Amino acid sequence: MPHPGQNPGTSASFDSKKLTLQSTVQLPNSQVTIPRLGFGVYLSHGDTCLSSCSTALLAGYRHIDTAQYYANEAQVGRAVLETGIPRSEIFITSKMFGPKMSTTDPQTSDEHELYLEIIESLKKLAVGEKGYADLFLIHSPHCGPQGMKTLWKALERAHKEGRAKAIGVSNFGVGHIEELKEYAEVWPPHVNQIELHPWCQQRKTVEYCQQHGIVVEAYCPLVRNEKANDETLLKIAKKYGKTTGQVLIRYSLQKGWVPLPKSDTPSRIEANADVYGFDLEQVDMEALDKLDQGDKGAIVEAVKN
């Protein structure tokens, strides 16, 4: 039987009542496990990012999601160092876009150049040391088929060397993931990170990923607070005595997704990790499922299938 709120035929079956802040899920064809709750740092910069990451780690998060584009990998690395928590106990993800494009030479970056860019990220995350990432993703498929291939090969090299313990993709639709099959030595990708929340459930992509064992990460699980006054959400939050944010994160967890909530407010960072003392009933999961607006519900990007 699928868990309440899950589509029939998916592989994300587990007892959500047993979830804790320490819960992990194993990545496909890998010994690597990823914490089921992550901490996002998009648009968090400088000392603010450093402080937020430190708050999150001290509150019990063990999973931080950054990217080259976010320009805060160094702050994430510093936070890990300054909290004194062993690096081996923290799961860090970064991402990179594809080869740099130009009008005269559309493929100006080769595999080795992209590999070196990955290494630069790892140095920032390790505060100048050799370093590694637990997960490194292609940030977007918009670099085109050849760009994706070049970048994937660079990621595979980092993976072979143990510099990226796992590799995956972000904002990829079914067609993009299938395309990787043509040349990938590592397939399926370990993770696909996409926008996910009740108003944008991307069901075709999620079902495909779960059928192939690909872990689905949910960015924007809080919808950037744009739905805080939604009648259905408020009603459910009141029923459980929780914040709307806690309900949305719990919804993601019970769907089998790995949510990546983001906040720079210490009290909210802590509250967003306090989502394990209750379980949404099937009727409430179904009510949230019915809010789906398809591609129109996306506030950042719905993938192209």
Side-chain angles (χ1 to χ4, degrees):
M1 291 291 290
H3 188 276
Q6 291 178 354
N7 295 324
T10 67
S11 60
S13 56
F14 62 97
D15 186 352
S16 63
K17 293 181 180 179
K18 294 182 179 180
L19 288 174
T20 69
L21 188 53
Q22 291 74 43
S23 293
T24 61
V25 59
Q26 189 164 334
L27 299 179
N29 303 320
S30 172
Q31 296 302 309
V32 176
T33 58
I34 183 172
R36 285 189 177 271
L37 178 66
F39 181 69
V41 294
Y42 177 55
L43 295 180
S44 184
H45 301 292
D47 289 342
T48 298
C49 181
L50 177 61
S51 176
S52 294
C53 288
S54 297
T55 298
L57 291 170
L58 294 174
Y61 292 82
R62 289 297 180 266
H63 174 187
I64 299 178
D65 181 85
T66 182
Q68 292 179 353
Y69 179 71
Y70 300 171
N72 55 18
E73 291 169 312
Q75 284 74 25
V76 170
R78 277 187 59 198
V80 173
L81 184 66
E82 292 181 7
T83 58
I85 298 170
R87 173 65 181 88
S88 60
E89 295 180 12
I90 301 171
F91 191 101
I92 300 179
T93 299
S94 194
K95 324 176 205 45
M96 68 182 297
F97 284 106
K100 295 181 175 67
M101 308 296 282
S102 74
T103 55
T104 55
D105 182 4
Q107 301 299 335
T108 58
S109 296
D110 62 17
E111 179 184 324
H112 183 65
E113 289 175 319
L114 292 171
Y115 169 80
L116 292 179
E117 288 185 36
I118 294 169
I119 298 304
E120 283 304 307
S121 283
L122 302 183
K123 290 179 180 177
K124 292 176 182 177
L125 292 171
V127 196
E129 299 300 321
K130 184 177 179 180
Y132 67 93
D134 296 278
L135 176 64
F136 221 110
L137 308 178
I138 297 179
H139 206 148
S140 165
H142 297 323
C143 53
Q146 185 57 43
M148 286 195 304
K149 180 178 180 179
T150 305
L151 182 46
W152 190 252
K153 288 300 180 181
L155 286 174
E156 287 186 328
R157 178 180 170 185
H159 180 55
K160 284 180 183 178
E161 295 176 355
R163 307 298 297 277
K165 304 297 184 183
I167 56 177
V169 296
S170 180
N171 297 305
F172 271 44
V174 173
H176 296 126
I177 298 174
E178 283 289 313
E179 197 173 308
L180 289 178
K181 271 185 181 178
E182 299 175 10
Y183 49 79
E185 295 179 44
V186 177
W187 197 97
H190 297 120
V191 164
N192 187 16
Q193 183 182 129
I194 58 177
E195 178 178 347
L196 286 171
H197 46 74
W199 296 269
C200 181
Q201 296 176 35
Q202 310 219 59
R203 294 178 182 179
K204 180 178 179 179
T205 304
V206 169
E207 184 170 355
Y208 171 88
C209 288
Q210 292 179 335
Q211 287 174 342
H212 289 83
I214 302 168
V215 172
V216 178
E217 290 189 311
Y219 72 75
C220 288
L222 302 177
V223 210
R224 296 183 180 169
N225 211 35
E226 292 185 11
K227 300 292 185 179
N229 293 319
D230 179 86
E231 184 177 339
T232 299
L233 181 58
L234 286 169
K235 181 179 179 180
I236 294 173
K238 183 178 180 180
K239 173 180 176 180
Y240 292 92
K242 301 295 179 180
T243 67
T244 55
Q246 288 171 323
V247 169
L248 290 173
I249 294 168
R250 185 71 199 185
Y251 172 80
S252 283
L253 290 168
Q254 289 184 215
K255 295 288 283 187
W257 308 336
V258 175
L260 306 168
K262 184 262 179 182
S263 179
D264 285 319
T265 304
S267 60
R268 289 181 182 173
I269 293 172
E270 294 167 355
N272 290 342
D274 185 18
V275 290
Y276 300 98
F278 69 107
D279 204 55
L280 295 175
E281 296 177 0
Q282 180 171 347
V283 64
D284 299 312
M285 291 294 291
E286 291 174 351
L288 292 169
D289 281 344
K290 291 177 182 178
L291 297 175
D292 193 18
Q293 298 174 355
D295 290 359
K296 293 181 179 179
I299 61 173
V300 176
E301 179 178 354
V303 304
K304 304 301 180 186
N305 289 309

